[in-house]
Amino acid sequence: MNQLVTPSYITSLKPNEIFVFGSNLQGAHGGGAARIAYDKFGAEWGVGVGPTGQCYAIPTMQGGVETIKPYVDKFINYAWQHTEQMFLVTRIGCGIAGFADEQIAPLFQAAVAMDNVSLPEGWRELCAKSNSVMSINQFRERMATGEPIMGGSDLHIEFHKYSQQALRITAEINGSYHTPEELRALLSELWAIDVPKSFGMFPPFYTDCGKNTHVGERVFINMGCKFQDQGGIFIDDDALIGHNATLCTLNHIPDPALRAGMVAKPIHIGKRVWLGANVTVLQGVTIGDNAIVAAGAVVNKDVPANAIVGGIPAKVIKMIG
């Protein structure tokens, strides 16, 4: 893991280095690191957010810490997309803006594992000590953004927490007989939703998260299904999920240097859809109402409503009616 520390004083930059500084939304670079960015590294007056010259501006003067976080998240996403550059993060917000390192450093939790981001001295330790608790709704909202989840980030750590809960609950589900009422109660705990009384399942069932599955009325899930639901699995009314279906909402980042990171996209299964046995549905796929997916198919693209699809990759065989 990258342990680079941003120097306290930066007087020059290598061609691939980017000076990351705290700004204001107006882009008035009158003091502190912003002045250095303007005088030395080409930051443009009037540009207060994002890339500018050989710099990256993160506004910190518009309110509390909560107003800074979206801009930090945007920066991290930008840095993830530009691995050819090395980003030297200065103590943004800890000078003129008046925040403490303990307040700002945890915002960069997701950057700790990135090999192209250098952080100020002590910030990695502050990130490690951060005990920020993410609610399930916050988790779902974060996953819905589609932004990458970097290995070792706070969100990645949250994944592991949910995985341990899922292992415990699925072991209970799969280890002995439960009445339909008992099973719905266990699934309600696993999925953190109110599972409808009309829902049905034949265990065993497997998941490595469980906190982003949503099911409608009269949905039935058959034996042996595996849901990787971090990115969101949405199953509409009257859908039938066949034996050993696998639904995958995550992909690892192709870049070997960032391979521990992941990108999530949701799966949507429409009303009255029937997935045959051993079907695999990949991330980002929507299956339209009334569609049928033949046994063994691998679905990597959207399926039209009323279509019958099959094969690897799945293709339309014919339309219903």
Side-chain angles (χ1 to χ4, degrees), residues 273-295:
V273 166
W274 172 20
L275 302 187
N278 296 298
V279 163
T280 298
V281 181
L282 302 183
Q283 66 166 200
V285 166
T286 294
I287 301 178
D289 293 349
N290 306 315
I292 298 173
V293 181

Side-chain angles (χ1 to χ4, degrees), residues 240-246 273-281 287 291-299 307-315 317:
L240 305 174
I241 312 299
H243 291 84
N244 301 313
T246 300
V273 166
W274 172 20
L275 302 187
N278 296 298
V279 163
T280 298
V281 181
I287 301 178
I292 298 173
V293 181
V298 176
V299 187
I308 299 176
V309 301
I312 302 176
K315 296 181 180 179
I317 299 171

